[in-house]
Amino acid sequence: MEITPRVLYNGRMEIADKWTDYEILATGDGMKLERWGLVTLLRPDPQIIWHPQRDLYSMDADAVYERSVSGGGRWVYRKEVPADWNISYGGMTFSLKLMGFKHTGIFPEQAVNWDEMGSLIKSSGREDVSVLNLFAYTGGASVACAKAGAKVTHVDAAKGMVDRAGKNARLSGVDEGIRYIVDDCEKFVQREIRRGHRYDAVIMDPPSYGRGPSGETWKLEDSLYDFVALCARVLKDDPLFVLINSYTTGLSPAVMENILRLTMKDFNGSFDSYEVGLPTREGMVLPCGASGLFRGGTWKRTI
């Protein structure tokens, strides 16, 4: 009888606790009070289902995002907030802006993945590491990889977000290391396969739902597995890493790892999965998503 190897999911959380320009000050009743450099914001977060230790609305927020009963919402300004302002992390600088649907342009919990990818690139011993960053948004991961010395192809369907990614790269001094593409990610990967282009690493941070520039639809639960399988075909024979990140509540770290195990089974490497989170000044950790990571070579989990 064939014995199936035991697979371990350790259920750990990687905490982005090295920030100096960002922190969560207080949480409760679906809201979080955050300091982004010199600007303090009060924003919704669906994971926060506990009551606050004090009234968050009485605290000193510069702007509050208020949801609408009909969907969406708006920023309500209590003080003057710059149209753009910068924060820094690990030698990188990012431009922030209050955007629609509560966003600022950066997801600070992703610093744990920025650090890991940078470490993998620097320690690889490879020259001209090529990274494909898909659903790349404003380029936090692109900047982190370029800062580590990689050549990055940054792909997103939203031109405005790609423009902001270019600004972040220029602020961080790595603009020349990044190629910017405004396109539907699936169509771009298909063309790269036909062209015979291959990458050392692939990053993807796909939305729960979205539309491409020509009306293409994307629903994470229906599309992710096939998309990761497609991306496996654009990798070199000895890939350095593949990272999947998801903010969809129903997709656990184990789901991310299972997808990678199935789609990357023909490559030599190891598989990992974890939650990503942010510490709060209250002494708690706020969960912020799930990541699955394939590392090429002989890396082994030590905890």
Side-chain angles (χ1 to χ4, degrees):
M1 181 177 66
E2 183 179 351
I3 303 299
T4 302
R6 180 172 177 266
V7 176
L8 172 66
Y9 296 110
N10 65 3
R12 77 181 191 279
M13 177 179 284
E14 294 288 347
I15 302 171
D17 57 2
K18 297 181 176 66
W19 281 96
T20 57
D21 282 358
Y22 172 86
E23 64 177 324
I24 299 177
L25 306 174
T27 61
D29 288 345
M31 302 292 287
K32 57 186 175 184
L33 185 70
E34 307 162 289
R35 179 182 63 82
W36 299 81
L38 299 177
V39 177
T40 302
L41 304 176
L42 184 59
R43 300 191 297 159
D45 191 305
Q47 298 273 27
I48 302 173
I49 62 174
W50 51 89
H51 295 313
Q53 298 180 44
R54 56 184 291 193
D55 181 11
L56 301 185
Y57 287 89
S58 68
M59 299 176 74
D60 192 23
D62 298 318
V64 179
Y65 189 87
E66 293 185 350
R67 290 194 182 276
S68 169
V69 294
S70 59
R74 66 189 182 101
W75 286 101
V76 176
Y77 294 89
R78 293 179 170 180
K79 301 178 182 178
E80 185 176 353
V81 176
D84 294 86
W85 74 101
N86 298 339
I87 63 171
S88 296
Y89 178 87
M92 301 176 287
T93 300
F94 302 109
S95 173
L96 304 183
K97 177 182 179 181
L98 297 190
M99 303 182 186
F101 196 62
K102 74 181 181 181
H103 294 314
T104 63
I106 285 293
F107 293 97
E109 67 277 2
Q110 285 302 308
V112 295
N113 285 328
W114 301 340
D115 291 344
E116 177 66 13
M117 290 183 291
S119 177
L120 288 170
I121 292 166
K122 290 177 182 177
S123 64
S124 69
R126 306 185 188 192
E127 295 183 2
D128 298 324
V129 172
S130 56
V131 176
L132 176 59
N133 187 11
L134 301 166
F135 309 99
Y137 194 51
T138 59
S142 296
V143 170
C145 291
K147 201 76 175 178
K151 298 295 184 182
V152 182
T153 298
H154 174 110
V155 186
D156 198 282
K159 185 179 184 303
M161 296 302 102
V162 174
D163 290 343
R164 293 199 69 82
K167 182 175 183 179
N168 289 330
R170 290 189 294 275
L171 287 169
S172 299
V174 294
D175 187 47
E176 292 183 359
I178 302 175
R179 176 172 67 125
Y180 304 97
I181 307 291
V182 179
D183 201 352
D184 174 77
C185 289
E186 182 174 359
K187 290 184 176 180
F188 178 79
V189 172
Q190 289 170 340
R191 287 197 300 273
E192 290 291 86
I193 293 170
R194 291 195 297 269
R195 288 186 286 238
H197 293 172
R198 298 291 182 267
Y199 295 86
D200 291 288
V202 172
I203 309 162
M204 63 185 76
D205 197 344
S208 298
Y209 180 84
R211 289 187 178 275
S214 300
E216 305 88 348
T217 59
W218 166 278
K219 186 177 180 183
L220 189 65
E221 295 90 335
D222 297 337
S223 305
L224 183 59
Y225 178 85
D226 289 338
F227 184 72
V228 179
L230 179 71
C231 289
R233 297 169 55 195
V234 83
L235 288 166
K236 293 181 179 178
D237 292 339
D238 56 342
L240 184 58
F241 64 84
V242 175
L243 174 71
I244 310 173
N245 194 69
S246 171
Y247 298 97
T248 301
T249 306
L251 298 186
S252 69
V255 170
M256 302 290 102
E257 184 169 332
N258 286 342
I259 290 173
L260 285 171
R261 285 181 178 275
L262 290 168
T263 57
M264 300 293 295
K265 62 183 184 297
D266 294 332
F267 297 100
N268 178 41
S270 300
F271 302 90
D272 197 12
S273 58
Y274 44 89
E275 286 188 271
V276 292
L278 288 163
T280 78
R281 191 180 281 186
E282 305 155 312
M284 301 186 295
V285 176
L286 179 63
C288 300
S291 292
L293 179 61
F294 167 84
R295 296 178 177 90
T298 58
W299 179 90
K300 292 182 179 179
R301 179 184 287 150
T302 57
I303 58 173

